[in-house]
Amino acid sequence: MNKRRNFTLGLVLLVLLSACGKEATPYEEVRPVRTVVVKPEGVAVAASYSGEIRARHESVLGFRIPGQIIERNVELGDAVKAGQPLFKIDGKDVVLQQAAAKSQFDKTRLDYERAQQLHEKGFVSQANVDQAKVAFDAAKSQYSLSSNQGGYTVLRAERAGVVTSLNAEVGQVVAAGSPIVKLVEDGEREVVVSVPESRVEELRKADQLQVVLWAAPEKLYKAKVREIAPDTDPVTRTYAARISVLDPDEGLRLGMTANVQLPNVANQTGVMLPLTAIYDQDGQPKVWVVDINTQRVTARPVTLAGVRNDVVLVTKGLQMGETVVTAGAHLLHANQLVRLAASQLNRQ
């Protein structure tokens, strides 16, 4: 019995050792994907930049002298006329300064006249007259300055426009030059957009610009480039551009979202792909191209010309008849085995 049991155990051990000597076949995951076949076509490439409706002229107003605000005559959104009073500060100190300057002016004027009279009689020298004249001129200038400051107690609108910002209230003590009111002038309207450095020259040379409001896409406004910033924004690394609207109307309200379009920038050959087909790798847009024979994918760098809603225009990197993954791109890796839908295989 012992010999038979030992023989059986040895046979089992031999079988196990034989099994361990063979490598197990690794499991390879197959990803189901949706694809599209590349069919290049002539496309009018149009660039579009989103921005905000702004006024051509914007003024931030403040008092020329310090003081405590005692009157506020406007509300946010009010339309004002040129010269209309907006705020007023307490002018008691200004009145006192003006009275003191007037007294000094009168005294130095009398001293100067007396010095002239004494000089004519030979009692004082010309130097005394000149000294009195200098004191009189200084007092005269100080009196003129204090008289002008009497008019600085009222902050007035420099031009007709709309109040878009208020930064002070009655009772607040403000310093000279502190921003109190932001006023935008009636009339010209612009769209402020940010442009990447690769498209600056294209925008600068464009002779056909259109502005479309997000709230009213059915109407187009003609526009032109007024200015492009000479340097980039330190955060976004884009250039700020101001686009003048040539035929503004009441529909262009301040702060509205608008798109600046450059129609027919170029007539290029490209392919329209869903935005889901593009994935970003180290700042380089790429797509996954499927080899129909092996059913495996390869990453392919591409050049994009623009995005329209959920569709992207690819102008370089793909060839006629190639199969591109349009869904699940972020789940794939190089040489990944994929499975196409049966309906798509029939169209290859």
Side-chain angles (χ1 to χ4, degrees), residues 192-197 200 228-241:
V192 180
V193 298
S194 297
V195 184
E197 57 183 298
V200 170
I228 299 177
D231 197 4
T232 61
D233 183 277
V235 177
T236 63
R237 307 305 301 170
T238 57
Y239 290 83

Side-chain angles (χ1 to χ4, degrees), residues 76-87:
L76 195 64
D78 283 355
V80 298
K81 299 178 181 179
Q84 179 176 332
L86 306 178
F87 281 81

Side-chain angles (χ1 to χ4, degrees), residues 211-225:
V211 171
V212 182
L213 298 178
W214 183 81
E218 69 280 357
K219 183 170 183 179
L220 299 178
Y221 296 86
K222 294 182 179 180
K224 67 176 181 179
V225 178

Side-chain angles (χ1 to χ4, degrees), residues 56-77:
R56 166 72 184 273
H57 299 288
E58 300 178 348
S59 303
V60 178
L61 307 180
F63 287 101
R64 297 188 184 186
I65 57 176
Q68 184 180 38
I69 296 176
I70 58 175
E71 288 184 17
R72 192 185 92 174
N73 302 313
V74 291
E75 298 292 341
L76 195 64

Side-chain angles (χ1 to χ4, degrees), residues 49-117:
Y49 305 101
S50 180
E52 178 186 359
I53 298 294
R54 303 276 290 274
R56 166 72 184 273
H57 299 288
E58 300 178 348
S59 303
V60 178
L61 307 180
F63 287 101
R64 297 188 184 186
I65 57 176
Q68 184 180 38
I69 296 176
I70 58 175
E71 288 184 17
R72 192 185 92 174
N73 302 313
V74 291
E75 298 292 341
L76 195 64
D78 283 355
V80 298
K81 299 178 181 179
Q84 179 176 332
L86 306 178
F87 281 81
K88 183 178 181 180
I89 60 175
D90 188 354
K92 293 178 182 178
D93 292 342
V94 176
V95 173
L96 293 176
Q97 292 174 0
Q98 187 174 359
K102 178 65 165 60
S103 298
Q104 185 66 19
F105 169 73
D106 291 339
K107 177 182 179 301
T108 54
R109 177 173 58 81
L110 293 175
D111 290 343
Y112 175 52
E113 291 176 353
R114 186 178 298 110
Q116 286 181 314
Q117 294 173 359

